[in-house]
Amino acid sequence: DNELLSLFQSGNEEAITAIKDKYHHYLYKISYQILGDNEDVEECLNDAWLAAWKAIPKDVPEKLLPYLRKSEGKVRSSLFRIRKKLKTYLNQEGFDI
């Protein structure tokens, strides 16, 4: 993880590919258990990678995986709430989903 953090801190875009290669499967399983939709999970993870890319140069974590899980969890929670609100709204409007 120290090498990955160094890539992030230096602004090397290979950092995104490297964390995807290392952590995608693990974080995908967690997100899919909650969201249950491949497209939503991939969107969530892409947003988490981007959030990490933007934040790490300023906020250097000691361990990368917990940091990524927290980032992914925030995105997943937001996406879950939006989906729930949209489903409620569509049901109220008479759409059967």
Side-chain angles (χ1 to χ4, degrees), residues 3-67:
E3 290 179 29
L4 289 176
L5 289 171
S6 293
L7 288 173
F8 270 99
Q9 290 174 309
S10 67
N12 189 329
E13 292 181 10
E14 291 178 18
I16 296 293
T17 302
I19 63 165
K20 284 181 182 180
D21 290 346
K22 187 169 183 177
Y23 294 115
H24 183 271
H25 182 71
Y26 176 76
L27 293 173
Y28 182 93
K29 287 186 345 184
I30 293 169
S31 290
Y32 192 83
Q33 289 174 353
I34 295 166
L35 297 174
D37 180 82
N38 182 54
E39 288 181 23
D40 287 345
V41 171
E42 290 299 337
E43 181 180 344
C44 174
L45 292 178
N46 285 332
D47 288 348
W49 308 140
L50 180 60
W53 175 255
K54 289 180 176 180
I56 284 181
K58 295 174 239 154
D59 181 25
V60 181
E62 288 184 31
K63 297 191 182 248
L64 189 55
L65 181 58
Y67 182 86

